[in-house]
Amino acid sequence: MRLTDDLGSSHGRRLHRGVLDDGREVFVKSGRGHAELFASEAAGLRWLGEAIEVPEVIEAGPDRLVLSWIRQEPPGAAAAERFGRALARLHREGADGFGAPWPGFIAELPMDNAPAADWPSFYASRRVVPFLEGAGLPAREASLVERAADRFAEVAGPAEPPARIHGDLWSGNVLWSGGSGVLIDPAAHGGHRESDLAMLALFGLPYLDRVLGAYREEWPLAEGWRERVPLHQLHPLLVHVVLFGAGYREALMDAVRRVLAL
């Protein structure tokens, strides 16, 4: 394989475009760190790829991940609708439980993917509470997050079976190609489908209204899903506080207060 373009870095990993000996273009992510990080990403991509378009995993080792190159195109309304329907089908593919049989990561941060009996307990014990210490919140704010976590079972809405979710579905992890969206950089696990949709809304996605409309035609959402968006945004906002600092504290605490008001 020959590396052709330096694409910079992300979370301590070097990014390159390359060409295989057979002429195929590839995306290469490399760097040392947690030995299981690339294997986890590869496992998630293969699992999601059973139901939706993702890059092909060509190589996954302790210090390098090689994926097929995705040729991008501008998003459009029709592509957004196709993506919404595909995302609904992905979620409906389901999972064996809440969690995953591989170690979890979001950016470079490890996540516990051990199974839990239900989604509220999984979300509290595996996705929210473990990140509190690293967030460095003042004691009063940390206490409010813990109070919100104690309420998850009350405010989570109707119980749903585990969905097959991306787990870190912000707009930068959706590449537009082939007339739809292609998923990259997953933190894949069995979770709640509203989590992926709330993450798409957190930082904005082109034609999000078309995505959501097509999704709901394919698989309607439970009543009250819009009011639960802050609940599902708690985890990614808390992760952003850990990774990027106090600039995200205001958004996090706004979401916490909205959960406590449900």
Side-chain angles (χ1 to χ4, degrees), residues 155-158 194 216 221-232 262:
V155 302
E194 291 177 14
R216 294 168 66 197
L221 292 160
E223 185 177 352
W225 68 273
R226 292 185 188 276
E227 289 71 27
R228 290 189 293 273
V229 167
L231 166 66
H232 292 274
L262 287 173

